Amino acid sequence: TAMLPMPDETIVRKTLYTLLMDPADDREGFYNRLPHEAAYRDPSGAWIVGNYRLARAVLNHPDLSNRSPLFEHGAMIDEAGMLDMMLFEVQPMHERLRKAFAPLFSKARLVALRDSIQSDLATLAARIPDTGRFDIVEHIARHLPAMTACRLLGIDVEHAPAFIDRSLAAIQLISAAPLAPRARVERVEQTIDWLRELETHLPAVRALLESGSSTSTCPAAQDIALTPRQLLVNILLIFIAGFGTTMLSIANTVCQALTTSGLWPLLVREPQRAPLAIRELMRVEPAVHLMIRYARSAVELDGLSLASGDVVAVVAAAANRDPAEFDAPGDVRIDRAHQGLVFGAGAHGCIGIALARMQIEAVFDMLLARMPDLSLEPGPHPRLQEGVFRGYRSLWVCSSRRN
């Protein structure tokens, strides 16, 4: 297999297991150097890709799938029906599922959600016991996306706290994190229990999809003959994807904004620049730092030879720092138009991009207006690592503006 020349400074070749499982692992040097090498193979046989051009080629290739071949060969059983999620489906079913749920993400629907997001955020801010010192994750990032995901699905926000707890098992199942057999059984059972609870909300979500499709060019769910199981697991997916990745993105972007020299004061003076700044901060610190694909057949990509069944891990956080694609990739430039691979690429690009950005922008608007002197509390901030998802378990900040 052809490889690009190595830089003078040899990269420490991290294993896929470390990238999926170690929250304390220092990634900065790895992310910065990996793009100089097209790909390497770790001891487990997984390909690790951090070059931007090759990463996009992997994510766009139709024969590189999210669905592990272990299921197709009977080595793993999909007890919870997770393979019916659009995340794991291949064409043409993947596109049919996206079209069925597209009405939830229409422009009119997002406009209608904007006021609710701002109202929910104001409620959360009012509940912070002491705005002089608080945890962004616990008081804001953990709750706003869950409330928004419920509203998106037409489910009463009173269910949001319970859904947060219920979602953790399903998040682990889709995160690609290795699970011990007993732990996997427990997570599957917990997810099945939650799916049973979600059945009570199925009529409300179906009605929302039908009303949305009547005002758009997208077909209604019943028009493409989705089964109740397909509807249920994709309702679950929309909640956990909307909740989990947005929660992590809020903390990641706030942390980056507060640690980038001069950026927070600049945004306080010019808050209209926050939307572009957020896109740049997400490039530097994406919530989905890995995207895993499985070769369904032999594939040749820019000199990379993949056999059927090979595992490819695209390190999005490294590809987003490829100097061949981004000028001075280590610098935070809030006028940079290129957002990188924050929301994936190809057919499996994130369906909820606009909604995620809307929530993060609302958080920044509130913090910039109410807490212009916001700063990170000194000391380490514990990382959260759930397989492909990476962020902060807590992020304590300080402000002189006390409530």
Side-chain angles (χ1 to χ4, degrees):
T1 301
M3 294 293 178
L4 293 181
M6 288 288 289
D8 293 337
E9 188 173 5
T10 302
I11 189 171
V12 176
R13 292 184 166 189
K14 297 183 184 294
T15 65
L16 178 57
Y17 184 87
T18 295
L19 293 172
L20 288 170
M21 297 296 289
D22 189 353
D25 182 42
D26 182 8
R27 302 285 169 82
E28 286 302 304
F30 176 74
Y31 289 158
N32 289 332
R33 290 191 292 273
L34 183 59
H36 295 278
E37 185 176 9
Y40 67 84
R41 208 164 194 177
D42 82 350
S44 74
W47 288 98
I48 312 297
V49 174
N51 170 275
Y52 183 86
R53 176 180 169 182
L54 183 55
R56 281 199 68 92
V58 168
L59 297 176
N60 280 302
H61 201 287
D63 286 333
L64 294 173
S65 167
N66 285 355
R67 184 184 295 226
S68 170
L70 292 177
F71 290 103
E72 296 177 4
H73 294 291
M76 291 181 70
I77 300 173
D78 179 31
E79 304 95 332
M82 307 285 269
L83 294 184
D84 285 332
M85 289 180 173
M86 67 180 83
L87 176 67
F88 299 115
E89 278 289 6
V90 297
Q91 302 298 12
M93 179 53 74
H94 173 263
E95 186 61 25
R96 292 171 66 191
L97 288 168
R98 281 184 73 104
K99 287 181 178 178
F101 286 92
L104 296 180
F105 300 93
S106 68
K107 184 176 180 179
R109 182 83 179 122
L110 296 182
V111 169
L113 285 169
R114 187 185 300 275
D115 288 344
S116 296
I117 290 170
Q118 293 173 343
S119 175
D120 289 339
L121 183 56
T123 299
L124 293 172
R127 293 176 184 169
I128 298 174
D130 179 8
T131 53
R133 178 182 181 270
F134 66 99
D135 180 3
I136 286 284
V137 175
E138 179 56 35
H139 293 107
I140 295 177
R142 180 177 166 85
H143 300 284
L144 180 65
M147 298 166 78
T148 302
C150 283
R151 293 191 187 280
L152 176 73
L153 292 164
I155 298 172
D156 195 304
V157 294
E158 69 178 15
H159 296 285
F163 279 14
I164 291 172
D165 294 334
R166 300 283 194 279
S167 70
L168 299 180
I171 287 173
Q172 288 188 330
L173 288 178
I174 71 166
S175 73
L179 292 172
R182 182 182 295 275
R184 177 176 172 77
V185 169
E186 291 175 352
R187 302 302 180 271
V188 168
E189 290 175 349
Q190 291 163 355
T191 299
I192 291 173
D193 287 344
W194 189 31
L195 284 169
R196 292 194 186 104
E197 292 181 32
L198 286 175
E199 284 188 45
T200 62
H201 302 287
L202 191 54
V205 180
R206 190 189 291 272
L208 192 60
L209 291 172
E210 291 171 3
S211 65
S213 65
S214 67
T215 59
S216 73
T217 58
C218 298
Q222 75 274 14
D223 291 338
I224 59 171
L226 295 187
T227 66
R229 168 64 58 165
Q230 287 173 317
L231 283 169
L232 274 176
V233 296
N234 282 287
I235 290 168
L236 182 150
L237 173 65
I238 287 170
F239 180 87
I240 62 177
F243 158 62
T245 57
T246 308
M247 176 189 72
L248 297 174
S249 295
I250 289 171
N252 288 356
T253 51
V254 169
C255 185
Q256 286 290 329
L258 294 175
T259 55
T260 300
S261 179
L263 180 54
W264 192 260
L266 172 61
L267 295 178
V268 169
R269 295 192 305 271
E270 303 178 49
Q272 73 277 7
R273 302 183 72 179
L276 276 181
I278 290 166
R279 298 187 186 200
E280 172 69 347
L281 297 171
M282 293 177 78
R283 175 189 70 85
V284 175
E285 184 78 67
V288 182
H289 74 121
L290 284 175
M291 302 174 191
I292 297 180
R293 298 292 187 268
Y294 303 90
R296 301 170 62 202
S297 63
V299 173
E300 288 281 342
L301 285 173
D302 288 339
L304 179 64
S305 298
L306 301 174
S308 178
D310 275 358
V311 180
V312 186
V314 169
V315 187
N320 287 350
R321 304 184 190 195
D322 188 343
E325 186 69 23
F326 303 92
D327 183 40
D331 295 346
V332 173
R333 296 183 175 179
I334 64 174
D335 57 349
R336 193 191 302 269
H338 199 332
Q339 69 179 38
L341 299 177
V342 173
F343 294 102
H348 281 271
C350 177
I351 194 174
I353 296 174
L355 184 59
R357 287 176 178 157
M358 187 185 300
Q359 293 175 79
I360 301 169
E361 289 170 14
V363 171
F364 269 67
D365 288 346
M366 185 272 288
L367 294 175
L368 290 167
R370 298 189 184 192
M371 305 172 195
D373 64 342
L374 194 70
S375 62
L376 279 182
E377 183 174 87
H381 301 278
R383 284 285 194 171
L384 182 149
Q385 180 86 47
E386 290 289 357
V388 300
F389 307 114
R390 186 170 174 85
Y392 289 91
R393 194 168 296 278
S394 65
L395 190 71
W396 286 87
V397 294
C398 306
S399 171
S400 64
R401 308 294 178 93
R402 295 181 178 272
N403 53 6

